[in-house]
Amino acid sequence: MTAITAGAVKALREKTGLPMMECKKALTESSGDEEKAILWLRENGKVKGIKRGDRATEFGRVSIFTEGGKGAMVEFKCESAPVTKLDEFIALADDLARVYANDPSITTAEELLAKPSTIKEGQTLGDLKDDMFNRIREVFNIGRMIRIEGSAGGYSHNSSTVSGVLVEYDGDNEDAVRDIAMHVAAMNPSVLSKDDLDPAVVEKERAILKAAAMNEDSSKPENIIDKMVEGRLRSFYAQEALLEQPFVKEPKQTVGQYAKDNGVTVKAFTHWVIGDDAAPSEESAEG
């Protein structure tokens, strides 16, 4: 029996875009011959052609599932904007998030694709993606994935800007959490609270504000200058920290105040915009 090396599997995966296990099986069936393995894959309906390296997945959808004390957000990408509007693309993207949320054993995109679909009995999520590729002839891949074990809420914006926000929280006001998630999508805070800001960045901003205040009126006592600086730092915090930002629906109160008034404690949030990630996808496959 011909030994199948990891390098051979990797090379076939790069050419076909298929998961490693599919490539290993094809090479095993073909005694390690790459060309025969590609033919075997085509004959078995796994792939109808070879992936071109210039086919980038710059469009997509961010799907969110939150229910039963858990939540997940999955980025599902494709080559063109029109495909993101197809019912089957949306349904598969949503199924990816649903399955991921309900299975804590999943750690990679490849593992997720191997799981049974909840919308097509007897088929895996990978089977549905394979079938969609073979009919639509576009590359599809899973990008970023995050799962929360705990109360979660979210908001997905799939219009001119495609983004998703997943919020982890304590409390029982789902509507308020959705409002906060929508605020995150609109205002794009970088951290949850001002305490999460890099102390070095805060000190640098404080030094700049102090120098500016002293240039305005160097005759003021230092303690007054310091009070002025701390007051101006609040504007800096409001630019960066979610809980310090004026709430978009009611700018007279902060997001932190809005959450407290509605019985919610925001523990963490994740905000993604399609195209803003520099890192490669966890899984990239045509089939």
Side-chain angles (χ1 to χ4, degrees):
M1 184 175 178
T2 304
I4 307 301
T5 67
V9 174
K10 181 181 178 182
L12 184 58
R13 186 172 190 264
E14 288 175 350
K15 285 192 175 182
T16 64
L18 291 174
M20 287 185 291
M21 293 307 295
E22 291 283 1
C23 293
K24 185 175 181 180
K25 182 177 180 181
L27 287 165
T28 300
E29 293 289 335
S30 308
S31 301
D33 187 300
E34 185 179 89
E35 292 303 316
K36 290 181 180 179
I38 292 171
L39 179 60
W40 185 90
L41 287 167
R42 295 185 66 186
E43 289 174 344
N44 285 273
K46 295 299 182 180
V47 62
K48 291 185 178 179
I50 302 303
K51 186 164 87 172
R52 301 197 313 269
D54 60 347
R55 294 175 69 172
T57 51
E58 298 177 348
F59 301 90
R61 183 177 183 86
V62 180
S63 284
I64 297 169
F65 179 87
T66 59
E67 189 177 284
K70 52 189 170 292
M73 184 163 65
V74 176
E75 189 180 50
F76 192 42
K77 295 182 175 182
C78 60
E79 291 184 74
S80 66
V83 169
T84 67
K85 307 300 181 184
L86 296 178
D87 289 342
E88 64 179 310
F89 180 85
I90 295 170
L92 179 51
D94 290 345
D95 205 20
L96 289 166
R98 183 184 302 109
V99 172
Y100 185 37
N102 285 293
D103 191 339
S105 72
I106 298 170
T107 59
T108 67
E110 190 169 87
E111 291 173 353
L112 175 57
L113 289 170
K115 297 295 181 178
S117 165
T118 69
I119 58 175
K120 202 84 167 181
E121 189 175 351
Q123 295 195 47
T124 67
L125 294 166
D127 290 336
L128 297 186
K129 186 166 76 68
D130 290 348
D131 180 63
M132 195 161 60
F133 165 72
N134 286 332
R135 287 182 293 101
I136 298 175
R137 309 300 294 157
E138 277 207 7
V139 174
F140 301 99
N141 66 50
I142 295 175
R144 293 166 286 187
M145 301 163 45
I146 184 172
R147 183 182 184 278
I148 290 175
E149 189 70 40
S151 297
Y155 171 71
S156 182
H157 184 79
N158 294 286
S159 186
S160 54
T161 297
V162 180
S163 66
V165 178
L166 189 64
V167 176
E168 183 179 3
Y169 70 98
D170 286 331
D172 59 2
N173 193 329
E174 294 180 2
D175 290 338
V177 174
R178 178 175 170 79
D179 282 345
I180 292 170
M182 292 175 67
H183 171 99
V184 172
M187 303 308 295
N188 194 27
S190 61
V191 296
L192 176 61
S193 75
K194 63 181 183 181
D195 294 334
D196 298 318
L197 289 166
D198 184 340
V201 173
V202 175
E203 284 307 309
K204 181 178 179 180
E205 185 68 17
R206 181 179 279 111
I208 292 171
L209 292 174
K210 186 169 184 176
M214 292 180 68
N215 286 333
E216 290 172 12
D217 188 349
S218 59
S219 65
K220 284 190 170 99
E222 187 169 356
N223 65 322
I224 299 298
I225 293 289
D226 289 341
K227 287 182 180 180
M228 291 172 58
V229 169
E230 292 306 312
R232 293 175 183 181
L233 267 176
R234 285 196 288 269
S235 295
F236 171 70
Y237 295 147
Q239 291 176 14
E240 303 294 333
L242 171 62
L243 299 180
E244 304 295 327
Q245 291 184 331
F247 182 48
V248 288
K249 286 190 171 183
E250 182 49 69
K252 291 183 179 179
Q253 65 178 167
T254 64
V255 173
Q257 291 168 336
Y258 174 78
K260 183 177 180 180
D261 290 347
N262 285 276
V264 169
T265 299
V266 180
K267 298 170 67 176
F269 72 89
T270 300
H271 179 205
W272 296 335
V273 176
I274 293 283
D276 70 356
D277 59 319
S281 301
E282 287 189 54
E283 191 276 349
S284 179
E286 287 195 26

